[in-house]
């Protein structure tokens, strides 16, 4: 006890000067700790905002690229279809010069609005007048407008979208050089194309994201001198060359951030050049509100001043603990707000977004991804991506491993029992010091788009084949009738001096073959003309049930099980007799392909806004190499088949505004789906 008393004495005997110095040292240490904590928390918040802003601008850029690409693809499809029809008109004109009457019939059946045929001197020699127009006089010299075609420098010319001369709306105009000399020009209605551009445009995407997200102060897309699109609260910006920061960002390839002001309010701005097809088309600028940042920074400063007061009254240690705990809570709240903010952006996108960490484990998917793959984030969070979406794993692995900074790929994927075609944009996510933290994939479903393109190609091919068949039939019919008449006269008016029975047999054989060829020509002509429909409103399920007995008899002839399930309570507009012909053609094909004891199932159901009649058989199936050809005229795999059944069925369904989908596996059977629009 004595030793302890002696050892405590020097401390108790310290002068106020030394005690003040010791206290000052403790205050300095604690204040330094508090200041360091303040700076550290502030830099963490800035880092989170920078990362979330970079992810946001990346998502906006990909969405803008997809919007522009979608519009360009749709315009290309429409333009290609117009040029195909013009070239078909030129081929018809080569066979026989087209008249105004011919053009009126062709325009009415092909969807072309106006067609003009000019001779080599620029004089209009044939044209059609739409039903809602009065005939218009030629008011301009087409040789000036169509100079590249008249000069022979080009075979085709796209004049673009222009207003109608009769104030009927915008028109997409194109022309081709006429083989007989001159030009054939036509236009179609471009209202839907312009409406698509308005709905898919980058400006609309900017307006939608800016309106739906409260954490965004503004979004600007500008080129070197002016605004291309922006949220409504922005009317004027400085040109790029007048702002060193914008000029530096314009010349860079990565995102840059800064603290700036907008209308007197502080804004955290992220700027990144927008490249489309390798061309710099401007800057994307996103200004994030700093309310939560300012609130958190203000609270941290207040805690610093409070710490000084608590140090003075001797509660420095407890205050430091409280400040740390509260700072952590504020940090967590800021992180949650930032995550919620980015979640709103990702959920507003139509594209699928999947993010993984550096190990390839899923960290985030948005709602479109859950709907497309029929999964939930709770089920797949923390799982390796190759367990959930194995087809995308090689691309994400290539990004995470550092072999690629960005990839654009198309790939097939199985999800929810469906085979999908996806277009993916895969990008790297980096943290401080360029450390790889993961990768993000933005996916777009191309399945329906490619399927529709196949249907369009198929119909265009069948239309061309039908028109060719009709032309050939007309050319053959007249000389064939002459042959038949001559053979009948030979049979009636002449008698040979010898071998009369053989003579009669030969002459009558000629007449019989003429009749057979004439029947074939009649089928040619029927296929060459679009089917004449007499549509009436029909309850689809009741319609299929009403023909169930007929369809079942086709199957029972071969001892095949027949099943009918009708669950679609919708009305469609169809021609009953022709749609019955479609069902019978497909059922008979299924019966012929199915062995005794097999099964045929008809199912009627609703798919979105459309109604579907699905016919599935357990037959031999169709080889994958022959699937694209089954709707071709005269294509058949049967020894005694005519090859016209499916062609005619497809023609009838297409005339109803529908389509036929086919899936088949060799040795397992085929599924034909007749998809019809609802009334």
């Amino acid at each position: 006890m004595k030793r302890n008393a002696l050892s405590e004495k020097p401390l108790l005997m310290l002068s106020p000067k030394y005690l003040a110095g010791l206290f000052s040292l403790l205050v300095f240490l604690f204040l330094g700790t508090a200041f360091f904590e303040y700076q550290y928390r502030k830099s963490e918040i800035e880092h989170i905002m920078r990362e979330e802003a970079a992810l946001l601008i990346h998502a906006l850029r990909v969405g803008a690229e997809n919007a522009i690409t979608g519009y360009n693809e749709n315009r290309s499809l429409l333009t290609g279809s117009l040029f195909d029809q013009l070239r078909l008109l030129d081929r018809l004109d080569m066979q026989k010069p087209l008249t105004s009457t011919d053009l009126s019939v062709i325009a009415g059946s092909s969807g072309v609005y106006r067609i003009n045929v000019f001779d080599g001197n620029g004089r209009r020699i044939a044209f059609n007048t739409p039903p809602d127009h009065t005939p218009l006089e030629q008011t301009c010299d087409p040789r000036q407008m169509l100079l590249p075609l008249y000069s022979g420098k080009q075979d085709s010319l796209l004049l673009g979208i222009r207003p109608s001369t009769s104030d009927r709306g915008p028109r997409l105009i194109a022309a081709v050089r006429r083989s007989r000399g001159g030009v054939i020009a036509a236009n179609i209605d471009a209202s839907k194309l312009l409406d698509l551009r308005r709905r898919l445009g980058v400006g609309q995407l900017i307006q939608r994201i800016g309106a739906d997200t409260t954490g965004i102060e503004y979004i600007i897309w500008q080129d070197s001198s002016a605004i291309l699109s922006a949220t409504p609260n922005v009317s004027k910006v400085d040109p790029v060359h007048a702002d060193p920061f914008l000029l530096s960002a314009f010349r860079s390839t990565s995102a840059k951030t800064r603290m700036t002001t907008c209308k007197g309010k502080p804004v955290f701005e992220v700027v990144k050049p927008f490249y489309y097809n390798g061309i710099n088309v401007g800057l994307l600028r996103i200004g994030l509100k700093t309310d939560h940042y300012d609130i958190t920074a203000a609270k941290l400063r207040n805690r610093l001043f409070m710490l000084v007061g608590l140090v003075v009254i001797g509660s420095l240690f407890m205050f430091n603990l409280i400040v740390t705990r509260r700072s952590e809570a504020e940090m967590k709240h800021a992180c949650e707000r930032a995550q919620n903010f980015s979640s709103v952006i990702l959920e507003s996108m139509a594209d699928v977004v999947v993010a993984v960490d550096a190990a390839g484990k899923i960290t985030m998917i948005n709602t479109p991804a859950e709907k497309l793959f029929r999964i939930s984030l709770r089920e797949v969070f923390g799982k390796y991506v190759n367990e959930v979406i194995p087809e995308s794993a090689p691309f994400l692995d290539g990004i995470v491993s550092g072999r690629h900074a960005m990839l654009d790929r198309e790939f097939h994927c199985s999800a929810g029992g469906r085979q999908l075609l996806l277009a993916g944009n895969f990008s790297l996510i980096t943290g401080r010091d360029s450390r790889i933290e993961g990768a993000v994939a933005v996916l777009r479903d191309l399945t329906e788009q490619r399927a529709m393109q196949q249907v369009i190609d198929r119909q265009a091919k069948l239309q061309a084949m039908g028109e060719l068949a009709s032309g050939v039939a007309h050319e053959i019919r007249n000389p064939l009738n002459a042959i038949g008449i001559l053979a009948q006269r030979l049979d009636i008016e002449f008698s040979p001096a010898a071998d009369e029975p053989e003579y009669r047999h030969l002459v009558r054989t000629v007449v019989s073959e003429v009749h057979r060829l004439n029947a074939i020509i009649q089928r040619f002509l029927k296929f060459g003309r679009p089917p004449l429909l007499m549509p009436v409103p029909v309850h689809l399920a009741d319609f299929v049930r009403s023909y169930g007995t007929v369809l079942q008899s086709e199957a029972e002839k071969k001892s095949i099980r027949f099943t009918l399930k009708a669950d679609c309570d919708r009305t469609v507009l169809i021609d009953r007799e022709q749609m019955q012909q479609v069902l019978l053609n497909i059922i008979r094909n299924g019966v012929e392909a199915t062995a005794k004891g097999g099964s045929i199932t008809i199912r009627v159901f609703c798919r979105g806004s459309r109604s579907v009649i699905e016919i599935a058989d357990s037959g031999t199936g169709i080889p994958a190499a022959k699937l694209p050809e089954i709707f071709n005229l005269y294509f058949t795999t049967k020894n005694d088949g005519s090859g016209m059944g499916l062609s005619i069925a497809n023609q009838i369904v297409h005339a109803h505004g529908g389509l036929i989908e086919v899936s088949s596996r060799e040795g397992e059977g085929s599924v034909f789906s007749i998809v019809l629009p609802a009334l």
Side-chain angles (χ1 to χ4, degrees):
M1 292 294 294
K2 185 175 180 180
R3 180 177 296 180
N4 291 338
L6 290 174
S7 62
E8 290 174 0
K9 185 176 180 179
L11 180 61
L12 295 175
M13 295 299 293
L14 290 176
S15 65
K17 179 180 178 181
Y18 288 108
L19 288 175
L22 180 59
F23 182 76
S24 299
L25 178 62
L26 293 174
V27 170
F28 175 80
L29 291 174
F30 281 105
L31 287 179
T33 302
F35 182 77
F36 174 78
E37 182 73 9
Y38 168 77
Q39 293 295 334
Y40 176 78
R41 299 301 180 191
K42 181 179 177 181
S43 64
E44 283 292 318
I45 296 173
E46 291 177 350
H47 173 69
I48 291 173
M49 294 185 67
R50 188 179 299 110
E51 292 296 318
E52 296 299 332
L55 180 60
L56 171 62
I57 203 167
H58 170 75
L60 178 61
R61 178 184 63 80
V62 173
E65 290 178 349
N66 290 339
I68 295 173
T69 301
Y71 168 75
N72 289 339
E73 289 179 353
N74 279 277
R75 175 169 176 168
S76 297
L77 288 174
L78 194 60
T79 302
S81 176
L82 180 56
F83 274 122
D84 288 342
Q85 294 188 58
L86 284 171
R87 294 187 179 97
L88 180 59
L89 286 171
D90 184 54
R91 290 196 294 271
L92 294 175
D93 185 66
M94 281 293 296
Q95 297 176 5
K96 177 185 177 183
L98 294 174
T99 65
S100 296
T101 301
D102 296 335
L103 296 182
S104 297
V105 174
I106 293 171
S109 63
S110 63
V112 178
Y113 194 79
R114 189 184 291 277
I115 306 172
N116 291 294
V117 179
F118 301 97
D119 63 13
N121 297 319
R123 184 171 60 89
R124 187 170 63 175
I125 59 176
F127 62 94
N128 75 299
T129 301
D132 57 343
H133 284 59
T134 56
L136 297 177
E137 295 294 330
Q138 185 173 342
T139 59
C140 63
D141 183 10
R143 290 183 62 86
Q144 296 297 324
M145 184 181 299
L146 305 172
L147 185 59
L149 298 178
Y150 276 102
S151 64
K153 293 181 179 180
Q154 294 180 209
D155 293 325
S156 60
L157 180 65
L158 178 65
L159 298 177
I161 298 175
R162 300 188 179 184
S164 171
T165 56
S166 54
D167 295 327
R168 294 300 200 279
R171 298 288 180 262
L172 179 64
I173 307 173
V176 298
R177 192 165 57 190
R178 184 174 177 233
S179 299
R180 289 179 176 270
V183 172
I184 302 176
N187 66 66
I188 58 177
D189 188 4
S191 302
K192 293 183 179 179
L193 184 65
L194 293 181
D195 182 63
L196 178 66
R197 182 173 66 183
R198 284 192 293 270
R199 289 187 289 107
L200 294 182
V202 179
Q204 184 69 18
L205 179 63
I206 289 175
Q207 297 294 333
R208 186 169 66 250
I209 294 178
D212 294 346
T213 308
T214 57
I216 294 179
E217 182 66 32
Y218 59 79
I219 300 177
I220 302 171
W221 177 25
Q222 70 176 100
D223 61 11
S224 59
S225 59
I227 295 176
L228 300 177
S229 181
T231 48
N233 61 334
V234 177
S235 59
K236 181 180 179 182
V237 295
D238 294 331
V240 171
H241 63 81
D243 190 329
F245 174 80
L246 295 180
L247 184 60
S248 174
F250 189 83
R251 294 171 177 172
S252 177
T253 58
S254 59
K256 292 183 177 294
T257 59
R258 67 173 176 178
M259 292 295 296
T260 183
T261 58
C262 177
K263 297 181 180 180
K265 295 187 295 184
V267 175
F268 184 84
E269 185 180 67
V270 57
V271 182
K272 188 172 184 179
F274 181 19
Y275 284 88
Y276 183 74
N277 289 337
I279 300 174
N280 189 331
V281 294
L283 285 176
L284 286 177
R285 299 171 58 185
I286 299 180
L288 304 180
K289 295 179 180 179
T290 61
D291 296 346
H292 61 286
Y293 173 83
D294 295 337
I295 292 172
T296 303
K299 288 183 178 180
L300 288 173
R301 287 194 297 271
N302 292 337
R303 300 300 181 271
L304 181 63
F305 296 137
M306 291 175 63
L307 181 60
V308 174
L310 290 176
V311 167
V312 173
I313 63 175
S315 303
L316 181 62
F317 293 99
M318 183 62 68
F319 176 75
N320 187 53
L321 178 62
I322 293 173
V323 169
T324 302
R325 294 286 178 85
R326 290 188 177 181
S327 296
E328 290 176 354
E330 292 292 338
M331 190 66 193
K332 181 179 179 181
H333 180 63
C335 290
E336 291 175 352
R337 290 194 61 182
Q339 291 174 351
N340 291 336
F341 170 73
S342 60
S343 296
V344 170
I345 299 299
L346 294 174
E347 297 303 328
S348 67
M349 295 176 58
D351 293 333
V352 171
V353 179
V354 179
V356 300
D357 59 16
K361 295 182 179 180
I362 295 177
T363 58
M364 186 277 298
I365 60 174
N366 63 351
T367 300
E370 294 180 335
K371 292 180 180 179
L372 181 66
F373 296 112
R374 299 179 183 178
I375 56 177
S376 66
L377 179 60
R378 181 178 300 177
E379 296 172 352
V380 302
F381 182 83
K383 290 186 177 180
Y384 288 97
V385 69
N386 57 6
E387 298 176 7
V388 182
I389 317 173
E391 293 84 356
S392 66
F395 309 119
L396 289 169
D397 290 342
I399 294 293
V400 173
S401 64
R403 293 195 301 271
H404 307 284
M406 182 179 294
L407 282 175
D408 290 294
R409 293 288 188 274
E410 290 186 4
F411 60 95
H412 290 277
C413 177
S414 298
R418 299 173 299 162
Q419 189 70 20
L420 305 176
L421 175 63
L422 303 179
N425 177 274
F426 304 86
S427 303
L428 189 65
I429 300 176
T430 57
R432 289 184 174 181
D433 302 324
S434 300
R435 181 170 53 87
I436 296 176
E437 295 184 353
V440 61
V442 180
L443 309 176
R444 184 159 54 98
D445 188 4
L446 302 178
T447 308
E448 291 189 3
Q449 176 182 334
R450 293 297 171 83
M452 185 58 67
Q453 180 61 46
Q454 291 177 358
V455 172
I456 292 173
D457 293 344
R458 179 201 307 165
Q459 193 59 32
K461 185 176 181 180
L462 288 177
Q463 182 178 356
M465 293 173 66
E467 292 174 355
L468 177 62
S470 178
V472 172
H474 279 295
E475 293 296 329
I476 295 176
R477 200 172 189 180
N478 290 334
L480 188 63
N481 288 336
I483 293 172
I485 292 171
L486 290 174
Q488 289 175 352
R489 289 189 61 189
L490 288 173
D491 186 31
I492 295 171
E493 299 176 5
F494 294 94
S495 295
D499 298 327
E500 181 174 355
E502 182 180 1
Y503 170 79
R504 298 295 178 193
H505 173 72
L506 292 175
V507 171
R508 289 168 185 172
T509 300
V510 172
V511 173
S512 174
E513 290 301 308
V514 167
H515 289 321
R516 188 173 68 84
L517 287 175
N518 193 52
I520 295 173
I521 290 172
Q522 290 294 336
R523 290 201 297 270
F524 266 123
L525 292 174
K526 182 179 179 181
F527 186 80
R529 294 190 297 267
L532 180 62
L533 301 181
M534 299 180 63
V536 293
V538 172
H539 188 275
L540 188 60
D542 292 342
F543 167 75
V544 177
R545 290 193 194 99
S546 66
Y547 291 109
T549 303
V550 178
L551 301 175
Q552 185 175 6
S553 65
E554 292 288 332
E556 289 180 347
K557 291 177 184 177
K558 202 174 175 181
S559 300
I560 295 174
R561 295 190 309 276
F562 179 84
T563 306
L564 173 61
K565 300 177 182 178
D567 302 324
C568 183
D569 189 20
R570 278 186 182 167
T571 299
V572 295
L573 199 64
I574 61 174
D575 185 312
R576 296 179 65 96
E577 292 185 2
Q578 295 203 45
M579 193 55 65
Q580 181 189 8
Q581 180 184 355
V582 172
L583 291 176
L584 286 173
N585 282 345
I586 297 177
I587 288 291
R588 284 169 181 164
N589 284 346
V591 168
E592 292 174 0
T594 304
K596 182 178 180 180
S599 64
I600 290 181
T601 301
I602 299 182
R603 191 163 66 96
V604 183
F605 60 93
C606 301
R607 183 199 295 170
S609 62
R610 294 179 170 248
S611 304
V612 182
I613 305 174
E614 183 183 271
I615 304 166
D617 64 64
S618 59
T620 57
I622 304 171
K626 294 184 178 180
L627 266 179
E629 304 177 33
I630 62 174
F631 293 104
N632 290 353
L633 186 63
Y634 292 117
F635 176 82
T636 181
T637 58
K638 297 177 288 188
N639 295 330
D640 58 347
S642 66
M644 296 189 69
L646 287 180
S647 298
I648 293 174
N650 182 67
Q651 191 180 44
I652 293 172
V653 173
H654 189 270
H656 282 81
L659 57 93
I660 300 180
E661 299 175 349
V662 185
S663 62
S664 180
R665 290 190 177 182
E666 196 169 1
E668 297 182 12
S670 304
V671 179
F672 285 76
S673 299
I674 304 170
V675 184
L676 299 171
L679 183 62

